[in-house]
Amino acid sequence: MLKERIQYKRELPIDLLVADVEQYPLHFHEDCEIVYVMQGAVRLRDGYYDYDLTAGDVVIVNDGEMHSITRIGEASNMVMMLHVDFEYFSKYYPNLRNSFFDTEYVDSKESLDVLRSILVRIILEMLQKGYGYEHKIIEAAHNLISYLQADFQSYLVDEDNAESGRQSRRNKVMAGRLSRITKYMYENYDRKLTLNEIGEKEHLSIYYLSHVIKNATGLSFQDLLSFIRVEESEKLLLSTNKKIGTIASETGFSAVRYYIKHFEKWYHMTPQAYREKYTGKAMGDESGADLRRCTPTEIEALIRKKFPEDKDKAEYSKYSAPLIVDIDLNGDFEASNDGGSALAALMSRSVLKPVAKPYSTIISLGEHPLASGDNYLITSPAKKGGDIRSLSVLVYNFDAEARKQLLEANKTAQAAELIREYDKEQEFLLRCSGLSGKFRIARYRLTRENCVRIYRRLLEHADTAHIREEVLQKWMSLPSVEFEEFTSADTLNLRTKMNGFSAELILIDKI
């Protein structure tokens, strides 16, 4: 099957593959694909063009375009292939399916750098799958689409008219009109279609319409229509056994000779020669892609190497070892004697009072400690296993070195600086066996940004800031609270991923 159907996961309107590609056969799909070569070199065939791409190159394959990817040379590569679900995002961007995106004629290094930055952020969120990562990915995808429409939208199909392509991107009114025109042409290419028909539909004179199309694409109306027909015929050539004459007729050509003439113009060979050369090299059930999926470790290592100067990206690659806590609430389980003394010693310090509210909250509950460590405390109203219907879980994100420095800090400004500079990530996983039933889970999150803002408001004089700025600073220092429900057969697993100095207090109650 030549047409590749992208299977998007529920609530995640993008699909991502990062791989070392030997050969990804000719295929097409309904949604846009962004190809980002992160390492090595590949050849991308997109329509009638071949592109030799090396590390750093980004190419956008628009929906419906035939394309393939082949390794260049013997060295390994790393290629990101990102698909965007147009059906989902069209709710927010009505003309999305009519848009044509192109990176070839963008001569701004800054524009491409920003595009790569957005792509890297999506890759890292997909790899790490932290709590609420779907929301972050969708947010990043919205930024991606907005940026594509602002800087990479084009209607260019002729390499000799790069300037007209750039002009069309800057004219949003004309872009909307061209979207309607090209969409109509793609929907009606298989019949007799005239410039007059489209002019009446758009309420434009034939002369002006012809000028608009020529200016935007570098082609006359008839040449553009022939290009669309040839492009669509490629799918029939490779996915069916239909005769060349039949394909010519079904794609709107009045005679086979005209079809062959225009096909040779764009593909530099006859339709039959093209069929013989590429049949069997198309994406199908039996001839799939020859590639190796890159591991998260490989991808993150390359990103650390390529983007060492970007602090935001570097944050994603700084990890502490996962913190895993197992609690068996069955049988003779009893409350801990420790009572969270290590965490208490830290949070009782006056310089940490601004970020100690999650700790003081769990202490105010007056519950019995079940387990504790340097940066976590787990409590319950019940003393023994079998009686436990509620749990309280508090975890802070800092490592042993940060703990030592915070214990030695004597001034609030010193503690604020340590908290601002701490940028490691921590995964916390709690596995509680002996809990069955339906539970309500409330999460109180104090993020790294919240902590920094709290200290900033404390250290700066409020009267030096505009009242509106003070309100915004206060909002940004407020933690977030989220609720969810979970049904457990015997074991309840709680996972959170924290970035920088931060805290999370989780209340679990049986319903």
Side-chain angles (χ1 to χ4, degrees):
M1 184 172 63
L2 188 64
K3 183 175 182 178
E4 184 180 42
R5 299 185 184 279
I6 307 302
Q7 300 296 324
Y8 297 100
K9 295 179 181 178
R10 187 173 180 269
E11 303 299 330
L12 195 58
I14 71 162
D15 177 72
L16 177 69
L17 171 63
V18 181
D20 181 355
V21 180
E22 178 69 36
Q23 172 70 36
Y24 206 116
L26 276 169
H27 64 288
F28 70 96
H29 32 69
E30 292 182 349
D31 294 326
C32 168
E33 176 180 344
I34 301 176
V35 178
Y36 174 25
V37 180
M38 303 172 69
Q39 178 177 275
V42 296
R43 177 166 294 133
L44 172 71
R45 179 174 180 80
D46 182 9
Y48 54 91
Y49 286 123
D50 285 328
Y51 301 97
D52 286 352
L53 308 177
T54 57
D57 287 338
V58 182
V59 171
I60 300 173
V61 179
N62 291 276
D63 56 313
E65 290 185 333
M66 299 286 295
H67 60 286
S68 65
I69 301 175
T70 308
R71 181 197 305 277
I72 295 178
E74 300 298 324
S76 63
N77 58 63
M78 187 181 292
V79 182
M80 183 217 75
M81 290 158 275
L82 176 71
H83 300 100
V84 181
D85 185 356
F86 275 13
E87 182 176 354
Y88 175 90
F89 286 106
S90 289
K91 296 181 293 185
Y92 306 93
Y93 310 93
N95 288 323
L96 186 58
R97 283 209 177 274
N98 301 330
S99 299
F100 184 92
F101 302 114
D102 184 14
T103 60
E104 185 179 5
Y105 296 109
V106 176
D107 50 14
S108 168
K109 182 180 181 298
E110 182 180 357
S111 293
L112 289 171
D113 284 345
V114 173
L115 179 58
R116 293 186 195 100
S117 177
I118 296 172
L119 296 175
V120 167
R121 184 166 293 276
I122 292 174
I123 291 171
L124 290 167
E125 292 291 357
M126 285 287 285
L127 288 177
Q128 294 163 22
K129 293 181 170 59
Y131 185 81
Y133 80 100
E134 298 95 335
H135 169 76
K136 293 179 181 178
I137 289 174
I138 293 173
E139 181 180 70
H142 275 289
N143 289 330
L144 173 65
I145 292 171
S146 296
Y147 194 62
L148 290 177
Q149 290 188 325
D151 274 36
F152 297 95
Q153 188 160 253
S154 178
Y155 293 88
L156 191 64
V157 296
D158 186 347
E159 66 271 25
D160 295 329
N161 289 274
E163 183 60 34
S164 65
R166 286 195 290 270
Q167 292 299 325
S168 69
R169 282 197 300 274
R170 299 191 183 109
N171 190 329
K172 292 185 178 181
V173 175
M174 189 59 69
R177 172 162 281 166
L178 285 165
S179 289
R180 294 194 301 271
I181 292 170
T182 54
K183 180 181 180 182
Y184 191 76
M185 293 176 72
Y186 269 96
E187 289 175 346
N188 297 277
Y189 69 87
D190 56 348
R191 64 175 179 82
K192 185 177 180 180
L193 187 62
T194 66
L195 194 62
N196 187 61
E197 178 182 338
I198 297 176
E200 289 180 357
K201 189 175 185 300
E202 286 293 318
H203 305 291
L204 297 173
S205 70
I206 295 176
Y207 172 78
Y208 184 71
L209 178 59
S210 178
H211 178 74
V212 165
I213 293 173
K214 181 71 175 179
N215 249 12
T217 68
L219 302 174
S220 67
F221 166 76
Q222 200 58 52
D223 281 343
L224 177 60
L225 180 59
S226 296
F227 165 76
I228 292 172
R229 286 169 171 167
V230 164
E231 186 181 47
E232 293 299 306
S233 78
E234 184 182 20
K235 301 164 189 176
L236 295 176
L237 279 172
L238 298 179
S239 63
T240 73
N241 293 320
K242 292 180 178 180
K243 294 181 178 180
I244 301 300
T246 302
I247 292 175
S249 177
E250 289 185 1
T251 51
F253 286 100
S254 59
V256 177
R257 67 178 183 275
Y258 294 135
Y259 171 47
I260 295 174
K261 172 187 173 182
H262 286 285
F263 195 95
E264 287 182 321
K265 176 180 178 180
W266 296 109
Y267 290 91
H268 309 296
M269 65 180 75
T270 66
Q272 185 60 39
Y274 187 87
R275 169 178 271 175
E276 292 172 359
K277 182 174 181 179
Y278 291 106
T279 294
K281 297 181 181 179
M283 194 70 180
D285 296 331
E286 298 179 359
S287 54
D290 181 6
L291 55 81
R292 178 187 64 81
R293 287 179 178 268
C294 296
T295 66
T297 301
E298 290 175 318
I299 299 168
E300 291 175 5
L302 180 63
I303 289 174
R304 284 198 298 272
K305 181 179 179 181
K306 289 178 68 66
F307 300 100
E309 75 289 350
D310 192 322
K311 195 170 190 302
D312 287 337
K313 299 185 190 76
E315 288 177 358
Y316 286 95
S317 56
K318 297 180 180 179
Y319 297 98
S320 297
L323 175 59
I324 303 174
V325 178
D326 289 295
I327 297 180
D328 185 355
L329 301 178
N330 293 300
D332 297 330
F333 182 88
E334 293 189 8
S336 167
N337 293 322
D338 180 271
S341 58
L343 191 57
L346 189 63
M347 288 297 125
S348 62
R349 307 202 73 233
S350 61
V351 295
L352 291 177
K353 185 178 179 180
V355 292
K357 186 173 181 180
Y359 175 77
S360 61
T361 300
I362 195 171
I363 294 301
S364 70
L365 297 176
E367 298 178 345
H368 305 286
L370 301 183
S372 63
D374 284 349
N375 63 338
Y376 70 92
L377 175 62
I378 303 169
T379 65
S380 173
K383 290 184 178 181
K384 295 184 179 181
D387 300 328
I388 294 178
R389 297 174 58 87
S390 297
L391 283 177
S392 302
V393 181
L394 172 64
V395 59
Y396 276 85
N397 181 29
F398 53 79
D399 61 12
E401 180 61 27
R403 171 184 167 80
K404 178 183 177 182
Q405 292 177 339
L406 289 169
L407 283 170
E408 295 172 350
N410 295 317
K411 296 182 179 180
T412 301
Q414 187 180 0
E417 180 66 14
L418 290 170
I419 286 172
R420 186 179 70 83
E421 290 297 322
Y422 187 76
D423 61 356
K424 290 188 177 180
E425 284 199 352
Q426 173 78 66
E427 179 183 0
F428 177 79
L429 178 63
L430 173 64
R431 299 184 291 218
C432 294
S433 55
L435 286 179
S436 299
K438 191 173 184 179
F439 294 86
R440 182 187 67 233
I441 301 173
R443 295 175 179 265
Y444 172 104
R445 290 194 182 88
L446 192 66
T447 67
R448 176 191 184 189
E449 290 73 21
N450 294 148
C451 295
V452 170
R453 295 288 178 180
I454 289 170
Y455 274 102
R456 181 174 295 176
R457 292 186 66 235
L458 180 66
L459 294 171
E460 294 177 354
H461 296 294
D463 57 0
T464 63
H466 190 279
I467 187 170
R468 291 177 64 85
E469 182 64 24
E470 173 64 13
V471 169
L472 290 176
Q473 292 288 343
K474 184 176 181 180
W475 283 356
M476 287 186 283
S477 68
L478 294 175
S480 64
V481 181
E482 296 178 5
F483 297 89
E484 58 184 309
E485 292 183 358
F486 180 80
T487 301
S488 171
D490 177 69
T491 302
L492 188 149
N493 293 312
L494 282 178
R495 178 181 181 272
T496 188
K497 202 159 193 177
M498 308 170 76
N499 179 28
F501 186 96
S502 50
E504 185 162 336
L505 175 59
I506 307 171
L507 302 182
I508 307 163
D509 293 284
K510 191 168 185 177
I511 299 175

